[in-house]
Amino acid sequence: MTSRPVTVSGLHVIFDLDGTLVDSEPNYYEAGRRLLARYGVRDFGWEANARFIGISTLETLTVLRAEYGIEAPLEELLAGKNALYLELAGASTEVFPQMRVLVERLYAAGVPMAVASGSSRAAIEAVLAVTGLDAYIPLYVSADEVAHGKPQPDVFLEAARRLGVTPADCVVLEDAPAGAAAAHAAGMRCIAVPYVPETASDPAFKAADLLFAGGQSAFTADAAYHRMLG
């Protein structure tokens, strides 16, 4: 006879998507590399891309357009990258195994969840669908829907509003310093899982309630779940 899962009340969990729930950064990098190549930029490497992890696509392209002197309108660049990314993401996106375990455990316990991401709504929808996470997390907020992206708290505050709860009732999972800073600014607890372990010493992560300094290789659903309840 199997035991029924324990229902948890009063807890609401907001996940960042890219680099936290799913390993989508390789797809974002490849989409950016292909896009920039269209405009004559041939030297955009992974290291150059890494500084934009956790930053919205719109803000990333704004910086890159200025740095590389690209004359094309920002709207054209944004549409181009989103199209490239959707093609890549729809073909293959990997969920971090322990994150899937955590999502399924929270779902079984009746914990409401949301995604708050710097990606477009179309990209979030595509990734959740291809990975099957949409069955557990139907609510999501894009930074495109708020005034300011991370490290400003807007996207997390909007997620809390749609969940119908106060920020203090929410726990955020994040992989980037900008996202951890946004969670802190929103007045939410934060569990930090650095996508780039070398950033674990960033002050934004130091303020987290729980830090897995080794990144996804150190993260366990069990440890995160129990900290959420604490």
Side-chain angles (χ1 to χ4, degrees):
M1 181 178 180
T2 58
S3 59
R4 294 174 61 85
V6 176
T7 300
V8 177
S9 61
L11 174 64
H12 301 76
V13 179
I14 303 174
F15 289 92
D16 171 59
L17 182 64
D18 305 301
T20 300
L21 267 179
V22 301
D23 192 10
S24 54
E25 294 300 340
N27 284 339
Y28 267 111
Y29 163 64
E30 181 60 17
R33 189 193 67 77
R34 292 184 187 183
L35 177 74
L36 292 174
R38 292 177 180 175
Y39 299 93
V41 179
R42 308 290 180 181
D43 60 348
F44 185 67
W46 174 258
E47 294 74 16
N49 173 77
R51 63 192 166 118
F52 297 108
I53 292 174
I55 305 300
S56 74
T57 302
L58 178 61
E59 290 170 292
T60 297
L61 291 173
T62 300
V63 173
L64 291 174
R65 180 174 180 269
E67 287 185 350
Y68 289 107
I70 298 172
E71 296 183 358
L74 185 59
E75 294 76 13
E76 178 182 313
L77 298 178
L78 185 62
K81 183 169 182 180
N82 283 340
L84 287 165
Y85 175 74
L86 286 172
E87 179 182 350
L88 293 164
S92 177
T93 300
E94 296 296 324
V95 182
F96 291 113
Q98 281 293 301
M99 283 293 175
R100 186 181 287 279
V101 171
L102 178 60
V103 167
E104 292 176 353
R105 186 169 182 178
L106 290 169
Y107 182 83
V111 175
M113 293 175 280
V115 161
S117 171
S119 294
S120 68
R121 281 193 65 83
I124 298 169
E125 182 179 15
V127 168
L128 292 178
V130 77
T131 59
L133 291 174
D134 56 347
Y136 305 98
I137 313 176
L139 193 155
Y140 52 92
V141 183
S142 166
D144 294 347
E145 301 175 83
V146 296
H148 305 287
K150 305 170 188 178
Q152 299 303 313
D154 301 33
V155 70
F156 288 134
L157 293 174
E158 178 61 16
R161 188 191 71 79
R162 294 186 190 182
L163 286 167
V165 297
T166 65
D169 293 324
C170 299
V171 177
V172 168
L173 281 92
E174 261 290 351
D175 74 296
H184 183 73
M188 300 177 179
R189 289 189 287 154
C190 180
I191 294 176
V193 191
Y195 185 81
V196 181
E198 291 78 11
T199 65
S201 61
D202 189 284
F205 284 145
K206 292 296 185 182
D209 294 86
L210 178 60
L211 170 64
F212 292 90
Q216 289 290 342
S217 63
F219 177 81
T220 68
D222 192 59
Y225 185 80
H226 283 97
R227 177 54 65 95
M228 290 175 182
L229 300 182

